[in-house]
Amino acid sequence: MSKVQIKVNDNGSLRITGEVELLDGAGNVMETKPAFSLCRCGFSNNKPFCDGSHKGKFDSQVRVAKEE
């Protein structure tokens, strides 16, 4: 099985690629595709999935802290 990858997109979603099982709060399996995006801005009308509603409204660029 390949490693799952989660990418924190600049000013946007969490992009998940790889075989994962996404569960709702009650433990029910949610249908997903081999690659999908999860909302992290709170604006999506299709939560927990991203629908692009963040564009122009959400500012976040996550970077790994560089060691000195």
Side-chain angles (χ1 to χ4, degrees):
M1 179 159 66
S2 64
K3 189 182 236 184
V4 172
Q5 184 178 63
I6 302 171
K7 181 181 180 196
V8 182
N9 288 321
D10 286 351
N11 306 318
S13 64
L14 297 172
R15 183 72 175 167
I16 291 80
T17 56
E19 189 176 330
V20 298
E21 188 172 66
L22 181 63
L23 306 176
D24 69 10
N28 301 303
V29 176
M30 300 181 77
E31 188 175 330
T32 60
K33 297 177 181 178
F36 60 96
S37 296
L38 294 176
C39 176
R40 68 182 182 107
C41 72
F43 295 120
S44 177
N45 292 311
N46 191 30
K47 292 181 194 86
F49 302 103
C50 175
D51 67 0
S53 293
H54 61 272
K55 292 180 181 160
K57 303 177 195 171
F58 184 65
D59 182 32
S60 175
Q61 296 86 35
V62 177
R63 299 291 186 268
V64 174
K66 295 184 179 182
E67 294 185 31
E68 295 180 23

